[in-house]
Amino acid sequence: RVLGGCPAKARGSVVLVDKMADANARMAAVDPRRRVDRSKYVDPEMPEFPGAVFINHIGCRTAQVGAGIGCLVLAPVAWMRSPKGTSLVRGVMPRVGGRMLVLGYLGGCAGAAGMAVYGKGKSPFDQDGIDDRAYRIVKNEKLQNAGNFMSAGAVTGVLLHGGPGGAAVGVTAGTLAMAWAYAAMPIIRTKYWPASKPALVSALKSAGVDVGSLTTGGTPPAKNK
């Protein structure tokens, strides 16, 4: 059978070659070793290695999720099955969370490479698309703050416990701290605190506390002897 002047088998081979060439081009775009073409951008904050920024971003997010699932879900289950006296925080959490942290990071990086091969994702998997995605990652304040919480927790965990296990517990703690700072606190300040403040101030006044000094930074007046 002939399709468009070419045998069907030959046409299929041409399509396969074209698909492989497209996949190779997308893989080259996300290559962590690829340097950015500075002649195309004027902002000095454009990442030097856009592919590395893109892949590491996905790996860190999946590692964060993996550490959280390992420490907060899988570790308690494993702890309940452990011998009596086993420490949850210092024993089971680092062991289970560390594995999930590493698996999450490697899985995320592999997933990013897989998306590039198949061309599936929010951003175009060409050099301009990856450059744009990497630039938006480094300029996104919320993402950078999340990374700071995660990094601070990981470093603290490694210093206190060591290894991927300590990093996993630290990353989980950093994630919870970030959720408290950016999700819980704004709701408390805007919704619950205004309703609770009058009753709290009244209770403090009844107890003889100088409320003005708590809000203005002044020194409470000295009590008469």
Side-chain angles (χ1 to χ4, degrees), residues 72-167:
L72 302 178
V73 179
L74 301 181
V77 174
W79 176 67
M80 288 188 291
R81 299 177 179 177
S82 300
K84 186 176 181 180
T86 303
S87 173
L88 173 63
V89 176
R90 299 188 62 85
V92 183
M93 269 191 184
R95 184 177 72 251
V96 178
R99 293 173 184 171
M100 292 296 293
L101 175 78
V102 174
L103 289 175
Y105 185 83
L106 296 179
C109 293
M115 288 190 296
V117 170
Y118 291 99
K120 303 294 183 181
K122 294 182 179 180
S123 302
F125 280 92
D126 53 20
Q127 291 192 8
D128 291 340
I130 298 301
D131 290 354
D132 176 70
R133 179 62 174 156
Y135 180 75
R136 287 188 285 118
I137 289 172
V138 300
K139 298 294 286 187
N140 189 310
E141 184 177 355
K142 290 184 178 179
L143 284 179
Q144 296 307 310
N145 288 337
N148 292 337
F149 273 97
M150 180 178 171
S151 299
V155 171
T156 303
V158 169
L159 292 176
L160 295 177
H161 188 278

Side-chain angles (χ1 to χ4, degrees), residues 1 24 121:
R1 189 176 59 169
N24 287 334

Side-chain angles (χ1 to χ4, degrees), residues 10-217:
R11 174 63 63 85
S13 299
V14 172
V15 172
L16 179 60
V17 170
D18 290 342
K19 289 184 176 180
M20 292 180 63
D22 292 341
N24 287 334
R26 291 191 292 266
M27 286 296 293
V30 300
D31 188 344
R33 302 167 297 179
R34 178 178 67 86
R35 289 182 178 271
V36 69
D37 183 1
R38 289 289 176 188
S39 64
K40 298 168 60 177
Y41 307 101
V42 296
D43 193 335
E45 294 189 25
M46 181 68 195
E48 183 69 19
F49 298 96
V53 171
F54 173 73
I55 291 179
N56 184 66
H57 165 70
I58 295 179
C60 287
R61 297 289 78 78
T62 51
Q64 187 177 18
V65 173
I69 293 175
C71 291
L72 302 178
V73 179
L74 301 181
V77 174
W79 176 67
M80 288 188 291
R81 299 177 179 177
S82 300
K84 186 176 181 180
T86 303
S87 173
L88 173 63
V89 176
R90 299 188 62 85
V92 183
M93 269 191 184
R95 184 177 72 251
V96 178
R99 293 173 184 171
M100 292 296 293
L101 175 78
V102 174
L103 289 175
Y105 185 83
L106 296 179
C109 293
M115 288 190 296
V117 170
Y118 291 99
K120 303 294 183 181
K122 294 182 179 180
S123 302
F125 280 92
D126 53 20
Q127 291 192 8
D128 291 340
I130 298 301
D131 290 354
D132 176 70
R133 179 62 174 156
Y135 180 75
R136 287 188 285 118
I137 289 172
V138 300
K139 298 294 286 187
N140 189 310
E141 184 177 355
K142 290 184 178 179
L143 284 179
Q144 296 307 310
N145 288 337
N148 292 337
F149 273 97
M150 180 178 171
S151 299
V155 171
T156 303
V158 169
L159 292 176
L160 295 177
H161 188 278
V169 176
V171 165
T172 303
T175 302
L176 295 176
M178 179 187 67
W180 172 261
Y182 290 100
M185 283 301 296
I187 295 176
I188 292 173
R189 286 198 302 267
T190 59
K191 184 177 181 180
Y192 295 106
W193 173 242
S196 304
K197 183 178 179 180
L200 178 60
V201 170
S202 176
L204 292 175
K205 287 182 176 179
S206 299
V209 177
D210 180 14
V211 181
S213 68
L214 298 179
T215 58
T216 64

